[in-house]
Amino acid sequence: MKRRMALCFEELEVFQEAREITKSVYQITRTKPFANDYGLVNQIRRAAVSIPSNIAEGYERGSKTEFIQFLFIAKGSCGEVRTQLYIAGDLGYIDDTQLNVHIMACRRLSARLSNFIKSLQASAYSGEKKKR
């Protein structure tokens, strides 16, 4: 059975997962002592927001090539969030359990983004721009 491309980016599972990660980042950065480190809070929140934002922007660009490029950017932001989570753990802002849960969620999303990129690269899908 051939899978169809999502009609909108909101249907994409990677977008939905990215939203969940962003929400969880906002939740953990509201707790003290994490909340008091304004620089790290700002940086990790911006990186987390970048993940679903780049998925959406790439999809809306209307070309397979641009979509893949933005998925790679989203994947990079996922790695940035992981790095900042490790720093938060090193500084004692989150415990090992929280750290592991969030790291695993980011790793899962990163792997799913890689698989999605590979499937797009191999697909005949060309994007909305090519249909015009």
Side-chain angles (χ1 to χ4, degrees):
M1 183 169 108
K2 195 173 184 181
R3 287 181 69 183
R4 70 165 180 83
M5 181 54 135
L7 297 176
C8 58
F9 65 82
E10 292 92 343
E11 291 181 4
L12 298 171
E13 289 179 17
V14 290
F15 176 77
Q16 294 164 13
E17 281 185 47
R19 284 181 61 205
E20 287 300 316
I21 286 172
T22 302
K23 187 168 102 176
S24 70
V25 163
Y26 269 78
Q27 288 169 341
I28 64 168
T29 58
R30 285 188 187 113
T31 62
K32 292 188 180 185
F34 205 149
N36 295 330
D37 189 330
Y38 304 114
L40 186 57
V41 166
N42 182 48
Q43 189 68 26
I44 194 170
R45 285 180 174 182
R46 287 166 30 112
V49 167
S50 177
I51 303 168
S53 298
N54 279 292
I55 294 167
E57 184 173 354
Y59 182 94
E60 291 293 328
R61 291 274 178 141
S63 85
K64 176 177 162 177
T65 304
E66 287 177 290
F67 190 20
I68 290 169
Q69 181 61 36
F70 278 86
L71 290 171
F72 274 116
I73 294 167
K75 189 173 176 342
S77 293
C78 206
E80 188 178 352
V81 170
R82 281 199 341 254
T83 299
Q84 292 152 1
L85 286 167
Y86 283 121
I87 292 167
D90 293 345
L91 297 173
Y93 297 163
I94 55 177
D95 63 33
D96 286 344
T97 301
Q98 288 177 303
L99 176 64
N100 290 331
V101 165
H102 289 89
I103 291 294
M104 290 310 298
C106 287
R107 282 186 180 157
R108 265 191 314 275
L109 178 56
S110 185
R112 292 191 75 169
L113 285 166
S114 288
N115 290 336
F116 189 35
I117 289 165
K118 286 175 191 168
S119 72
L120 276 174
Q121 289 170 329
S123 77
Y125 172 76
S126 60
E128 294 296 313
K129 284 183 182 177
K130 298 288 183 187
K131 291 180 183 179
R132 293 179 190 157

